[in-house]
Amino acid sequence: MKRIERLSYHFVEFVPDELDDGALYISMPYGIVTHKCCCGCGNKVVTPLTPTDWKLIYDGQSVSLDPSVGNWSLPCRSHYWITNGRVYWSAQWAQKTVDEARSRDRLAKLRYFTDETVFELPTESPSSPPPRRRRRHRWLQRWRKTT
């Protein structure tokens, strides 16, 4: 099978069982974009749309995904960008680079989904004012450095 160079897009609620070559299926209710690998191997590729995964850009005429699609778990190990409906091929990564990127991704998810400010429960009654934060002004910091 030959490489795909251009993709059409379809907004769907549910991804079909059979995927067409060269088609992106975008399910906004489930936050995923699915397509067959653009190298032509026929494997299904799912890119989740979350703040720590992929971002979908739709301009009314075409779609883009950011960041690139690296199929490191597939035998083909293809790597490409989808920008304005076109596929731009990129170099394959060494396994060490893939492992480092996966570690960064795990850390980003951990930071995002365990942010204490998101899950912080109020310690005082809602009618009490928020606690005052101690701030040092720049002029005070400069003054202390000179004395």
Side-chain angles (χ1 to χ4, degrees):
M1 188 133 216
K2 73 179 208 176
R3 285 182 164 187
I4 303 296
E5 299 294 331
R6 199 169 256 311
L7 295 163
S8 62
Y9 63 89
H10 308 276
F11 286 97
V12 297
E13 182 174 0
F14 302 105
V15 175
D17 292 333
E18 293 293 321
L19 304 179
D20 292 336
D21 293 333
L24 283 176
Y25 297 94
I26 303 161
S27 173
M28 295 307 290
Y30 294 98
I32 60 169
V33 177
T34 306
H35 65 284
K36 281 187 180 180
C37 182
C38 292
C39 81
C41 71
N43 283 303
K44 183 178 182 179
V45 177
V46 178
T47 51
L49 303 174
T50 73
T52 60
D53 290 303
W54 281 269
K55 175 173 62 170
L56 175 75
I57 301 157
Y58 173 65
D59 66 5
Q61 293 185 338
S62 63
V63 295
S64 301
L65 279 179
D66 188 56
S68 63
V69 178
N71 296 318
W72 314 124
S73 298
L74 298 178
C76 65
R77 295 181 60 86
S78 62
H79 183 205
Y80 48 88
W81 293 85
I82 299 173
T83 306
N84 296 326
R86 290 189 49 101
V87 178
Y88 295 93
W89 293 93
S90 196
Q92 289 189 359
W93 287 0
Q95 190 59 46
K96 180 180 179 186
T97 307
V98 172
D99 294 341
E100 289 168 353
R102 286 179 174 161
S103 292
R104 281 192 307 275
D105 290 348
R106 277 191 296 275
L107 184 58
K109 287 180 189 327
L110 184 65
R111 284 183 178 150
Y112 183 83
F113 290 107
T114 60
D115 183 355
E116 292 175 8
T117 60
V118 174
F119 300 106
E120 189 174 15
L121 297 174
T123 55
E124 299 178 19
S125 67
S127 60
S128 62
R132 297 187 84 185
R133 294 183 181 175
R134 293 173 49 166
R135 288 179 131 172
R136 291 187 177 173
H137 296 284
R138 287 185 182 166
W139 64 268
L140 181 58
Q141 290 174 347
R142 284 191 299 248
W143 178 77
R144 286 188 176 166
K145 286 180 184 177
T146 60
T147 57

